[in-house]
Amino acid sequence: MSFESTTTVDLSSTAYSSTNVSFVKPPPLPVRQIGLKESKAAAASLAKAFEGDEVSFYFLDTPDKKDSRRSSDATWKLHTKIMEYTVAAHCRKGLVLSIGENHEGVALWMPPGHNMDDWWTMFRSGMWKLYFKLSKEGRKRWFREFLPKLHDTKEEVMAERDPNSWYLVYIGVIPDAQGRGYSRRLVEHVTVMADALNEPCYVESSARKNVAIYERFGFQRRTELILNRADHEVMLDIMVREPGVHYIPHSEKP
């Protein structure tokens, strides 16, 4: 299939001497799988994409933050480190997809039958360092609340299909690159395979505004996950995409 299209523009009525100029639309940037060598650059993009995400900072903006003398700059560095550890873990056990010349869009997928919960992956990715980098409350939120709830909720929702489902752990596009259809490309790259294998896809949306976007990709909201160690509840929407569902058309690709 050719993605090349040609438009002829008549400039005969202008001051230019050319009568016809042909413009060729470049083909769309490819989605590609990346490895550890590019993991930090991809993590930096995810950090930017999730800069205002409440869930991402749930472990960092804790009541004992001042006790650990963590400045806003140090908080951002730790936010980036969490992304680096997570991307590295997916390079080793999952699928890291990138789009754009500088990783403007990144998606972390965990294929069926894979996970990053084993200690060897946590050690090699650097995830274990969070036990020492997070504050006391941050550790409780990450290791005793967040990770167990993610695991248990996915297992409950997917039931016997859990081992045969694709898990979209993270997907983000930096602000300057949004509106180019990168999210759709990063999702479709896997859902095409999932449909062919008759396998469902699972995602947790940390922002309510993104539920409508996921619905256009064929996901349906099933339930919610509540984090409640803060002074207010922090919610994630749990969504599942059944194999073979039709996308909902939209005038603007997210």
Side-chain angles (χ1 to χ4, degrees):
M1 179 186 295
S2 175
F3 293 96
E4 185 177 280
S5 62
T6 303
T7 303
T8 301
V9 181
D10 186 3
L11 300 178
S12 58
S13 61
T14 70
Y16 298 101
S17 59
S18 300
T19 57
N20 290 287
V21 179
S22 182
F23 293 94
V24 177
K25 182 180 179 181
L29 292 172
V31 173
R32 60 191 183 91
Q33 182 178 354
I34 65 171
L36 287 170
K37 289 184 179 180
E38 298 177 275
S39 63
K40 287 189 175 182
S45 291
L46 277 181
K48 291 178 182 178
F50 284 84
E51 181 174 359
D53 182 64
E54 188 174 24
V55 174
S56 295
F57 286 84
Y58 177 73
F59 327 100
L60 306 177
D61 293 332
T62 57
D64 56 352
K65 178 179 176 181
K66 292 184 179 179
D67 297 338
S68 61
R69 299 180 182 180
R70 182 171 296 130
S71 65
S72 58
D73 182 58
T75 298
W76 177 257
K77 288 181 179 179
L78 184 52
H79 168 61
T80 303
K81 279 295 181 183
I82 291 175
M83 293 300 181
E84 289 181 5
Y85 302 151
T86 306
V87 173
H90 282 76
C91 284
R92 296 185 180 280
K93 296 297 288 288
L95 181 67
V96 181
L97 300 179
S98 172
I99 189 171
E101 295 180 358
N102 297 299
H103 308 290
E104 284 84 358
V106 177
L108 309 184
W109 286 91
M110 195 59 68
H114 292 249
N115 65 71
M116 61 177 188
D117 298 337
D118 61 284
W119 281 106
W120 183 234
T121 301
M122 294 187 70
F123 176 76
R124 298 184 72 189
S125 66
M127 195 77 73
W128 63 273
K129 297 178 183 178
L130 289 180
Y131 189 85
F132 302 98
K133 291 180 178 291
L134 292 170
S135 68
K136 183 178 180 180
E137 174 61 20
R139 287 195 297 271
K140 290 180 179 179
R141 294 184 182 189
W142 179 269
F143 290 102
R144 299 184 186 180
E145 183 188 24
F146 183 63
L147 293 184
K149 283 189 174 182
L150 290 184
H151 176 273
D152 294 346
T153 302
K154 181 172 180 287
E155 191 174 67
E156 179 181 350
V157 170
M158 301 309 297
E160 70 278 358
R161 299 191 300 167
D162 190 28
N164 299 315
S165 62
W166 290 82
Y167 183 11
L168 178 52
V169 181
Y170 270 104
I171 181 170
V173 178
I174 64 172
D176 291 344
Q178 292 177 4
R180 302 178 186 176
Y182 286 176
S183 293
R184 180 178 292 274
R185 299 275 305 285
L186 291 167
V187 170
E188 288 180 343
H189 190 85
V190 166
T191 56
V192 168
M193 293 187 290
D195 287 348
L197 297 170
N198 197 36
E199 294 171 337
C201 299
Y202 178 97
V203 67
E204 302 123 353
S205 175
S206 59
R208 177 54 62 88
K209 65 181 181 180
N210 291 336
V211 169
I213 295 177
Y214 286 119
E215 287 176 342
R216 296 205 296 273
F217 299 155
F219 286 87
Q220 293 182 331
R221 186 180 183 278
R222 295 295 178 84
T223 186
E224 60 190 33
L225 185 157
I226 302 294
L227 303 173
N228 51 20
R229 289 191 63 91
D231 57 3
H232 65 284
E233 291 184 340
V234 176
M235 186 181 73
L236 294 90
D237 290 290
I238 306 303
M239 307 186 72
V240 176
R241 181 187 183 277
E242 298 296 341
V245 299
H246 296 291
Y247 290 96
I248 299 175
H250 194 267
S251 58
E252 294 182 2
K253 291 184 177 181

